[in-house]
Amino acid sequence: MRSFLITASFLALAPAAAQAQAAPPPAGDAVYTSNLVTRWGREVTPENAWRLYPRPQMVRERWLNLNGLWDYAIAPKAAGQPAAMDGKILVPFPVESKLSRVARKVTPDDRIWYRRSFTVPAAWQGEHVMLNFGAVDYEATVRVNGSVVGSHKGGFDAFGFDITPYLKPGANELVVEVTDPTSAGTQPRGKQILDPSGIWYTAVSGIWQTVWLEPVPKLHITEVRAIPDIDRGTLDVAVALSGWANDTDAVRLTASAGGKVIASTIIRANRRATLKVPGARLWSPDDPHLYDLKAELVTVRDPYAGEKERDRKAYDSRFTFHEQQVYSRAQVSGAPRDSVDAYFAMRKISIGPGRVQGQPAILLNNKPLFQNGTLDQGWWPDGLYTPPSEAAMKSDIVFLKKAGFNMLRKHIKIEPARYYYDADKLGMLIWQDMPSGGGEDQYLAGTSRYQAVFPSETMAEQQKQLSEMIGELRAFPSIVMWVVNNEGWGQYDSATLTRFVKGLDPSRLVNANSGWLDVAPDASDVLDIHTYEDVPKTPPLQANRAIVLGEYGGVGFPIAGHIWRPGKGNWSYQVARDEKDYLARYRRKMEEVVRQAREAGLSASVYTQTTDVEDEINGLLTYDRAVPKAPPESLSDIAAPLWRVETQD
């Protein structure tokens, strides 16, 4: 989304909106929170705040949710832990949000302190206990009973620590301290800014996803990576454990559909296997079929027992077909030591011949499928980064499906893992952006001709967080494209980063630069332009990559009583007078998208945007999700010709 306003329109609200009751102006370090609250936000309590298991691709049966009211304090960064806390905060909502019950600013010179106690269930006696965080923005240090158990840097990825050595009988004290430079730093942060306005939104700090405990054995499963191959009818599965394994440590994999086992094997721990999936039912937006996958850490009898020169044979067989054979026949002793439930889909995303000769297209399951999407910011008036609930989060996807969209571009934000689970279940394709970083002087302009310059340490940290995003999210089949850069915001060496991403995950498409400076034509799978003109521009023909509109649209329509700052000028690219005018403007843009798909071979388009966000009113929905700017059925009817394009001769 553009950071300059040449094509934008500023508008004053209608008199009815201007007269709406505004929230009191912030005083001291208070954050402006508006009067807008979603219907889900009104139902949030300390007892029901985000209660579902937070990791749907690695489900364990036993766990303890630590969300709820914690003690908190905000103090100078240079000071030690305060003797007295400031009050209570509702975790997992960020400090600046209304739902946190705090709504205070956090500056780069501040440190947030969290504190609560917990008791480990007696049934976990003798097991190792993991303390897990869905996400903390930005740099966290964690203490249990006064001892530092670990630190983490990064605002979007999950992390955890084995806290077993630090536990004691009865109540244990957990303290988390967090610092966050927000827009004063160069770290990945997306659209957060300390002085929000226009397309830049209220800063978010601290714990903003679920915190939980779970018991595991010392050696346990940490990741299950499943990559489908619909052309071979197979699923490649790699299972990573928390440490080194012995010859008798193995993993049993079981794939099933509707409770019926379709494939099973045993592999040595920290290895991979290939499962056959005969007659696969392919995942698509119209048929989002998912298969179940279970991984169990088991003990097997010595697979090499009786072989001549047993030790030499076992050593020479590492990572060979012979090793796969002997472990697949190994006998399991006793019950599984660890077990996780996951799932997978048989689907393929690729570039290939499209409808227009000479212009490659994006293919789903080897066939062209136009991807009609929205730019999806993922912000909420009451929870900011944190949706009020999973039901609230899921409602956005449900609305988009009704409105004729089969894709969304998750715009420089990473969601809680359950969001991608909902997309998998509902059949919504996702383009996942890497959250932008960099300082103001490292943001390219639309006229820039070369990329930003960063210190090596900064680049290394951004690349680390890029790889963590991919590592955490590659299990979700709904994600079909990684977007490395948005409009040059902190863009550097994008060709190298694109090849880096392709190396990490060759099963998906990579979009090097969404909008503006296209400097990776040989690495990127798509040419992506942004066009906020009344009639969208057409990307130029590309011989070796697909063409897409990574952003277009931006029709603003203020709805009285559903405005973030009543009485203040709001921001949009265009302004609609009423619903009829709104639909006419939307239709004009969509008709051009249809023409480009039919005549130019356009593969995808991303309309700005799903919802209003703070001062920005470009949404199909109001910020509180209470009012659609037009009926979703009308939007779907306007988009319907897109699906006929693929079936025309």
Side-chain angles (χ1 to χ4, degrees):
M1 181 165 286
R2 299 184 180 185
S3 58
F4 63 93
L5 309 180
I6 293 175
T7 63
S9 300
F10 286 94
L11 58 101
L13 297 175
Q19 295 169 5
Q21 180 65 38
D29 66 350
V31 171
Y32 176 82
T33 59
S34 179
N35 285 329
L36 287 186
V37 179
T38 64
R39 63 183 177 90
W40 303 277
R42 287 191 288 270
E43 299 172 354
V44 170
T45 68
E47 292 73 33
N48 68 15
W50 280 92
R51 307 314 297 175
L52 294 174
Y53 187 79
R55 196 172 51 204
Q57 276 287 22
M58 277 263 300
V59 178
R60 288 189 173 93
E61 291 184 358
R62 297 179 301 160
W63 67 295
L64 179 64
N65 194 320
L66 296 184
N67 293 341
L69 291 175
W70 295 36
D71 299 323
Y72 91 96
I74 301 174
K77 184 166 64 174
Q81 182 173 347
M85 304 297 270
D86 294 345
K88 298 289 186 178
I89 185 170
L90 181 53
V91 170
F93 297 101
V95 172
E96 295 89 345
S97 71
K98 182 191 292 275
L99 287 178
S100 72
R101 306 185 177 191
V102 175
R104 288 173 57 185
K105 294 179 181 177
V106 177
T107 75
D109 297 322
D110 291 329
R111 189 181 304 272
I112 312 167
W113 294 87
Y114 294 84
R115 184 182 66 196
R116 67 157 292 160
S117 64
F118 66 88
T119 300
V120 177
W124 298 4
Q125 181 69 31
E127 300 184 76
H128 283 247
V129 177
M130 292 293 300
L131 170 63
N132 299 306
F133 295 82
V136 179
D137 195 0
Y138 173 70
E139 189 166 359
T141 299
V142 181
R143 291 183 171 87
V144 173
N145 296 324
S147 296
V148 173
V149 300
S151 298
H152 178 267
K153 183 184 292 186
F156 299 92
D157 60 301
F159 61 95
F161 307 109
D162 185 340
I163 61 172
T164 310
Y166 309 95
L167 296 174
K168 63 182 182 181
N172 293 268
E173 183 186 62
L174 170 60
V175 173
V176 182
E177 55 179 280
V178 183
T179 57
D180 184 9
T182 311
S183 51
T186 58
Q187 81 289 351
R189 63 185 178 277
K191 285 200 166 186
Q192 301 180 58
I193 198 167
L194 291 167
D195 185 18
S197 180
I199 66 168
W200 305 99
Y201 315 139
T202 303
V204 170
S205 302
I207 299 170
W208 68 277
Q209 289 188 35
T210 294
V211 186
W212 78 102
L213 299 170
E214 62 186 357
V216 295
K218 182 177 182 180
L219 182 68
H220 56 271
I221 298 169
T222 59
E223 194 170 343
V224 179
R225 306 168 192 157
I227 301 175
D229 188 329
I230 68 170
D231 299 321
R232 293 190 299 148
T234 60
L235 181 76
D236 293 325
V237 186
V239 181
L241 303 187
S242 58
W244 295 358
N246 297 318
D247 289 352
T248 55
D249 296 321
V251 172
R252 181 167 55 199
L253 295 169
T254 305
S256 59
K260 181 181 179 181
V261 174
I262 60 174
S264 182
T265 192
I266 297 173
I267 59 175
R268 181 173 173 169
N270 290 320
R271 296 294 194 268
R272 66 181 186 185
T274 299
L275 302 178
K276 292 183 179 180
V277 185
R281 181 175 166 184
L282 303 185
W283 184 98
S284 71
D286 291 333
D287 184 18
H289 179 73
L290 300 175
Y291 291 86
D292 294 319
L293 180 65
K294 180 182 285 289
E296 299 169 293
L297 177 61
V298 296
T299 302
V300 296
R301 296 176 183 174
D302 184 0
Y304 298 101
E307 292 204 26
K308 186 178 180 181
E309 295 184 334
R310 186 262 175 220
D311 292 347
R312 169 52 61 183
K313 189 66 174 181
Y315 182 85
D316 290 342
S317 294
R318 292 183 178 187
F319 301 97
T320 66
F321 179 67
H322 179 69
E323 182 182 65
Q324 292 179 0
Q325 285 185 312
V326 297
Y327 275 87
S328 69
R329 299 190 299 263
Q331 294 184 340
V332 174
S333 298
R337 292 142 55 193
D338 191 20
S339 177
V340 298
D341 290 325
Y343 63 89
F344 67 95
M346 296 300 290
R347 72 105 182 90
K348 176 184 178 182
I349 192 75
S350 59
I351 302 293
R355 183 179 181 278
V356 174
Q357 187 174 3
Q359 175 54 65
I362 298 177
L363 311 180
L364 180 68
N365 300 332
N366 295 324
K367 297 178 181 179
L369 174 67
F370 192 89
Q371 297 187 16
N372 182 36
T374 64
L375 198 71
D376 196 281
Q377 313 278 3
W379 291 70
W380 298 81
D382 37 21
L384 298 179
Y385 252 27
T386 309
S389 66
E390 182 176 6
M393 187 170 66
K394 183 177 179 180
S395 73
D396 281 357
I397 303 176
V398 171
F399 170 81
L400 291 177
K401 293 278 288 188
K402 288 181 180 178
F405 296 96
N406 62 0
M407 177 266 283
L408 62 85
R409 178 181 165 205
K410 182 48 61 178
H411 192 40
I412 54 178
K413 182 201 175 189
I414 301 171
E415 293 289 356
R418 296 202 68 90
Y419 180 88
Y420 304 96
Y421 167 79
D422 290 333
D424 292 343
K425 294 280 286 185
L426 293 171
M428 179 62 75
L429 302 167
I430 292 180
W431 296 7
Q432 178 62 54
D433 288 12
M434 174 62 189
S436 299
E440 178 58 35
D441 72 327
Q442 291 154 331
Y443 286 5
L444 310 187
T447 54
S448 298
R449 289 295 174 264
Y450 65 93
Q451 301 174 86
V453 175
F454 285 93
S456 296
E457 184 177 359
T458 300
M459 292 189 294
E461 181 59 38
Q462 292 189 0
Q463 287 154 212
K464 174 179 177 290
Q465 293 183 36
L466 174 61
S467 66
E468 287 172 341
M469 176 188 78
I470 294 167
E472 281 192 20
L473 300 184
R474 62 184 161 197
F476 297 100
S478 54
I479 298 175
V480 294
M481 183 183 296
W482 304 114
V483 181
V484 180
N485 295 293
N486 175 71
E487 288 189 348
W489 297 357
Q491 177 180 329
Y492 70 93
D493 202 2
S494 61
T496 298
L497 289 181
T498 301
R499 288 189 287 267
F500 172 66
V501 172
K502 283 179 175 287
L504 289 173
D505 183 10
S507 70
R508 288 181 172 86
L509 304 182
V510 183
N511 184 344
N513 309 296
S514 184
W516 296 7
L517 186 59
D518 177 35
V519 292
D522 297 329
S524 185
D525 290 310
V526 299
L527 171 66
D528 179 330
I529 72 166
H530 293 182
T531 168
Y532 283 104
E533 291 74 16
D534 187 39
V535 176
K537 292 183 177 180
T538 306
L541 179 75
Q542 301 291 299
N544 299 311
R545 52 183 178 163
I547 55 174
V548 303
L549 303 181
E551 294 182 24
Y552 80 104
V555 180
F557 182 20
I559 304 296
H562 301 275
I563 299 297
W564 177 249
R565 298 177 195 260
K568 179 183 182 297
N570 285 264
W571 192 92
S572 67
Y573 291 97
Q574 299 173 21
V575 186
R577 297 183 302 274
D578 51 33
E579 183 180 312
K580 182 179 179 181
D581 184 35
Y582 184 83
L583 272 174
R585 291 172 181 270
Y586 182 85
R587 184 184 301 275
R588 184 159 58 247
K589 293 175 184 297
M590 185 57 71
E591 286 176 346
E592 174 59 16
V593 169
V594 173
R595 186 201 67 78
Q596 291 185 26
R598 183 177 61 249
E599 300 177 9
L602 186 74
S603 279
S605 59
V606 180
Y607 180 83
T608 300
Q609 56 193 13
T610 304
T611 73
D612 294 347
V613 184
E614 299 195 355
D615 294 334
E616 185 180 353
I617 56 168
N618 290 311
L620 297 168
L621 289 164
T622 55
Y623 194 16
D624 56 4
R625 277 73 166 174
V627 181
K629 308 291 182 70
E633 295 81 8
S634 298
L635 300 175
S636 182
D637 289 344
I638 293 172
L642 283 171
W643 320 127
R644 293 194 288 270
V645 168
E646 305 296 353
T647 61
Q648 293 174 359
D649 294 332

